Amino acid sequence: MADEISTKPGQKITGSKQQLVIVTGLSGAGKSAALHAFEDIGFHAVDNLPLTMIEALVDDHDLAAGTRPVAIGVDSRTLHFSPKLFVEVQQRLQERSDIRLHVLFMDASDDVLTQRFSETRRPHPLGDRQLLRAAIQQERDLMTVVREHIDGILDTSSRTGAETRRIIRRRFAKESDDLIVTFMSFGFANGVPRDADLVFDVRFLRNPHYVPELKPLTGRDDAVCNYVRADDAFTPFVDQVRELLTFLMPRYQAEGKAYLTIAFGCTGGQHRSVATAEAVAGQMSVDGLAVNLYHRELSGK
């Protein structure tokens, strides 16, 4: 879970930075739930604040003191919203030296969004008597420019509200200038995670699914781990992924990226991908990296 920044000018005379998270994305993807999660970890949360007022809020004396981080919800319902204005405000905030800015994009598949609006019987904000799927596509098109200026995506298609809250707590509860890396496993049978930055296909490894005594187990069980690790390709693959990440992460940090989601996929997301994610995360942790683990298909098990 999935999984999630820059430096900026201000009037603060202290050396600390004000943590500011802009939560945006598609209607129905969980922005309100995300803001509640930020509130739970001590953020001052504001929803649907007009874009023209964001900088004024940040410059408020009490907030500028840096004693409480801020999360602001912005989407297509926001008064006078436009992608162009969003980018202009985001870029000005990003240039400030007193703010650590994160832009989190909440997303979900069209099928899931359609189901959520149908179940709640709430009208889509861009509905205007058009079909629900047309309204969803219209908003997705509208947010295309915004999506090009974000730090990370949190896809809630296959996540419960509790899982979303855990991800936000993990990523944002403690301010850090370090790159926060989440390793996740998934099954291709259920689709590639939309919030993954890097995806590795580990279906080339031998499959424990076809071993009767291993089939009911998962990649977190020693017997499955040992079976997967015994594949001659496993260790060279893990070593090369580790080398690639060691090369990439400083460059992501230099570009202002605050968190990175790396996904490993196998057919069902139960065995090979889980064992591989655990192994790579373990090795990177030994290197001193603070890592998170999320096994999408094992969630709730």
Side-chain angles (χ1 to χ4, degrees):
M1 32 210 85
D3 14 34
E4 188 9 80
I5 265 178
S6 308
T7 55
K8 308 113 212 183
Q11 296 74 28
K12 287 204 312 188
I13 59 175
T14 65
S16 60
K17 292 182 180 180
Q18 172 72 26
Q19 187 178 18
L20 172 64
V21 180
I22 296 179
V23 184
T24 186
L26 300 182
S27 302
K31 179 173 68 69
S32 296
L35 287 174
H36 288 314
F38 278 110
E39 258 188 327
D40 291 343
I41 58 174
F43 277 67
H44 179 85
V46 183
D47 197 7
N48 287 324
L49 185 72
L51 289 170
T52 53
M53 296 180 63
I54 290 179
E55 289 166 288
L57 174 66
V58 173
D59 288 333
D60 179 272
H61 176 75
D62 292 336
L63 296 178
T67 56
R68 191 177 183 189
V70 183
I72 301 174
V74 174
D75 62 18
S76 61
R77 298 171 299 162
T78 300
L79 184 65
H80 305 313
F81 175 84
S82 78
K84 181 176 181 294
L85 181 57
F86 179 95
V87 172
E88 290 174 356
V89 172
Q90 180 262 345
Q91 290 180 340
R92 285 199 298 269
L93 291 169
Q94 199 166 34
E95 291 171 357
R96 295 179 55 151
S97 60
D98 63 329
I99 297 172
R100 177 167 167 77
L101 176 66
H102 309 255
V103 183
L104 178 63
F105 192 97
M106 306 298 293
D107 199 1
S109 69
D110 288 356
D111 288 340
V112 170
L113 293 175
T114 300
Q115 180 181 357
R116 289 175 182 171
F117 276 103
S118 298
E119 288 176 349
T120 60
R121 298 175 180 259
R122 293 181 56 201
H124 192 280
L126 300 183
D128 194 25
R129 295 192 295 275
Q130 66 178 323
L131 293 175
L132 177 57
R133 282 190 176 271
I136 291 172
Q137 185 58 53
Q138 180 184 350
E139 185 177 39
R140 195 176 290 282
D141 292 342
L142 178 67
M143 301 300 284
T144 298
V145 174
V146 171
R147 187 165 173 155
E148 294 173 354
H149 294 81
I150 61 175
D151 302 306
I153 301 171
L154 180 50
D155 189 314
T156 63
S157 299
S158 59
R159 291 187 171 112
T160 64
E163 290 169 345
T164 298
R165 289 192 294 273
R166 281 198 297 269
I167 291 170
I168 289 173
R169 281 199 301 269
R170 200 163 55 224
R171 290 182 175 176
F172 295 99
K174 186 176 181 180
E175 171 77 320
S176 173
D177 288 329
D178 295 330
L179 181 66
I180 301 170
V181 182
T182 297
F183 292 95
M184 70 179 296
S185 65
F186 72 95
F188 280 98
N190 294 319
V192 177
R194 298 158 63 90
D195 51 354
D197 297 294
L198 298 172
V199 176
F200 295 97
D201 184 347
V202 297
R203 288 176 292 187
F204 63 87
L205 298 171
R206 59 178 186 169
N207 195 349
H209 176 82
Y210 298 108
V211 180
E213 61 269 27
L214 299 181
K215 182 177 179 179
L217 304 178
T218 76
R220 292 184 295 191
D221 293 301
D222 289 342
V224 172
C225 286
N226 293 336
Y227 183 87
V228 174
R229 288 170 182 264
D231 190 308
D232 290 341
F234 181 84
T235 298
F237 172 74
V238 170
D239 288 344
Q240 290 188 47
V241 169
R242 182 182 183 183
E243 183 177 350
L244 174 64
L245 295 179
T246 301
F247 169 78
L248 288 176
M249 285 190 294
R251 288 156 179 81
Y252 282 130
Q253 285 179 295
E255 289 300 313
K257 196 170 183 64
Y259 51 88
L260 182 71
T261 300
I262 302 160
F264 297 90
C266 62
T267 304
Q270 304 284 327
H271 301 109
R272 294 168 290 180
S273 60
V274 175
T276 306
E278 294 269 351
V280 176
Q283 289 207 16
M284 298 304 291
S285 180
V286 169
D287 290 343
L289 181 71
V291 303
N292 299 311
L293 266 172
Y294 173 66
H295 301 301
R296 189 181 73 178
E297 318 305 351
L298 303 187
S299 178
K301 294 186 179 181

